[in-house]
Amino acid sequence: MSVHEVTLPTGALTLTIDRADCPLEEVMGFAARDNARRGFLFLSKVLGKHWPVRPAAMAAMHERLAHAVPALPGPVVFIAMAETAIGLGQGVFEAWLRAHPGQPALFLHTSRYRVGACPIIEFEEAHSHAPRQFLHLPPGADERALLMSARALVLVDDEASTGATFLNLANACRTLNPAIAHVHLATITNFMGESATAGLSARFGLPVTLAAPVTGHYQFVPGQFSASATPAQRFDGDADRGASAAFGRYGLRHALATPAALAARLAATIGPGETVLVLGTGEFMHASFLLGAVLEQLGVDVVVQSTTRSPILTWGAVASALAFPDNYGEGVSNFIYNVQRGQYRHVFICHETAPNAALRQLAALLDARLFHFISETQIDEVA
């Protein structure tokens, strides 16, 4: 057991680690949210969101969490939590598919954008800067059938601190499909504490398992801090934000295609020793990991990261912050952390939205190239 006492600009945090399968500093750091609901952040160093990560390290975490999923009654539905854990959840799903070929399973991710006219489930992430989340009901007959016949849910997030968001989502899914008989929670860190973890099944009303490489509990005492009044969510159900239905919002039964041809073309333009950042945008994360993984296999010095709408202070594990407009057009600020101008020789931005002024501004900020993922197999470089 180890105890970490951290004084943040937003308050005092005490974190007790009960078990860690790997050194804590390799998995996470401490950061301060610009958020009145929760002033701290356990910032993952293996997620590829707020910290640059080698694709191999991300893949290792995907495999670790997939291996820890117990034997479950099928079909199994994997749901990744927006925004931060979408890439993690999709990676865990694909690693699980490789280990369980032929077993029926479905991947979905929650979203803060409504796509198309298919029905949605709405639930709340109460502590978030942008609390409204949505789960689209798949319009495809096969995907809808898998969801409605599922016997188990695997819910994936980067950390568990109260379990409330998992419970809200599980209850929403069980309203649709009362046959769900087991919930498994896959997280990198579990800081709910032993008692709360042991009480999950009683709280959910069905068998619940949880696996996390790092477990413990925390206390946070808020300080005298005034959070920014800038909103991080302006949802308009009638607005088309340009988010795609092709990469997980409508459900996937297969692993995404690897962009091998694009990676080979890009690798040919990268000189020896030149560094590369592959940057996902907002909820569009997994494609950037797949591109980075192929580049890494080709010998490129590459890391993966993503932009975010999460407002975080420049402190602790956040050494720098860049702000820019939202490419989804919601009118909220977006950020990239721990990346400075000129830090990487090459920056490749992967995006699902059509090219727009916000993306061009981001590209100019980082001297980057833009790649529009229209589908798994059609990827257009933006001139």
Side-chain angles (χ1 to χ4, degrees):
M1 185 179 74
S2 61
V3 179
H4 304 260
E5 295 184 350
V6 186
T7 301
L8 295 85
T10 54
L13 175 69
T14 301
L15 175 65
T16 302
I17 301 298
D18 298 321
R19 179 185 59 80
D21 295 344
C22 42
L24 186 67
E25 61 273 13
E26 293 182 6
V27 176
M28 56 159 280
F30 299 98
R33 298 178 188 259
D34 186 4
N35 181 350
R37 293 184 179 91
R38 177 175 289 186
F40 61 93
L41 174 66
F42 302 118
L43 188 145
S44 173
K45 295 182 177 180
V46 291
L47 188 64
K49 191 62 176 176
H50 310 111
W51 187 275
V53 186
R54 301 283 182 189
M58 296 173 68
M61 183 55 66
H62 300 163
E63 295 285 348
R64 179 192 289 265
L65 293 181
H67 179 74
V69 175
L72 296 172
V76 181
V77 173
F78 287 72
I79 304 178
M81 307 296 284
E83 159 191 290
T84 304
I86 290 175
L88 175 69
Q90 203 152 3
V92 172
F93 167 72
E94 294 184 357
W96 187 90
L97 282 183
R98 290 191 293 271
H100 300 83
Q103 294 195 28
L106 178 71
F107 171 78
L108 286 162
H109 72 74
T110 68
S111 179
R112 292 190 170 95
Y113 311 108
R114 184 165 188 166
V115 178
C118 70
I120 58 173
I121 299 171
E122 181 174 352
F123 66 101
E124 186 170 289
E125 185 181 9
H127 66 264
S128 175
H129 54 285
R132 299 181 69 184
Q133 289 216 43
F134 311 98
L135 184 72
H136 292 80
L137 299 185
D142 292 341
E143 290 79 14
R144 178 79 67 101
L146 274 174
L147 177 62
M148 300 307 290
S149 64
R151 298 295 310 284
L153 296 177
V154 177
L155 306 183
V156 185
D157 208 348
D158 57 313
E159 56 107 353
S161 53
T162 68
T165 306
F166 284 134
L167 178 60
N168 291 343
L169 177 55
N171 285 342
C173 291
R174 293 177 69 198
T175 299
L176 282 176
N177 174 8
I180 292 170
H182 192 114
V183 174
H184 178 74
L185 308 180
T187 67
I188 299 172
T189 57
N190 168 26
F191 295 143
M192 291 191 294
E194 291 184 6
S195 177
T197 301
L200 283 171
S201 295
R203 186 177 173 194
F204 278 60
L206 80 172
V208 178
T209 50
L210 186 152
V214 179
T215 62
H217 58 278
Y218 72 91
Q219 290 182 319
F220 181 71
V221 179
Q224 298 298 316
F225 172 76
S226 296
S228 169
T230 303
Q233 187 171 31
R234 291 191 180 101
F235 177 72
D236 179 354
D238 296 325
D240 181 359
R241 299 298 183 193
S244 173
F247 299 94
R249 290 185 181 88
Y250 277 7
L252 292 170
R253 293 177 292 148
H254 63 275
L256 286 181
T258 299
L262 174 61
R265 178 162 63 86
L266 294 177
T269 69
I270 300 167
E274 294 182 345
T275 56
V276 175
L277 169 66
V278 181
L279 186 67
T281 44
E283 293 183 357
F284 190 66
M285 298 175 61
H286 193 56
S288 59
F289 160 73
L290 293 175
L291 177 58
V294 182
L295 288 171
E296 187 176 49
Q297 292 165 8
L298 295 172
V300 174
D301 182 4
V302 58
V303 292
V304 173
Q305 203 171 328
S306 174
T307 66
T308 176
R309 69 165 77 201
S310 299
I312 307 172
L313 302 180
T314 305
W315 177 90
V318 174
S320 62
L322 296 173
F324 43 89
D326 167 28
N327 64 294
Y328 291 90
E330 198 174 3
V332 300
S333 295
N334 275 210
F335 309 92
I336 181 169
Y337 298 107
N338 294 309
V339 173
Q340 298 179 354
R341 297 180 183 182
Q343 182 176 350
Y344 298 96
R345 178 63 181 83
H346 302 273
V347 179
F348 305 134
I349 299 174
C350 305
H351 56 96
E352 60 178 335
T353 60
N356 56 34
L359 284 168
R360 294 182 188 282
Q361 182 172 329
L362 175 60
L365 183 69
L366 298 175
D367 191 21
R369 295 163 67 180
L370 293 169
F371 295 90
H372 182 198
F373 283 66
I374 298 170
S375 69
E376 293 182 60
T377 56
Q378 184 180 354
I379 307 167
D380 293 347
E381 182 168 5
V382 179

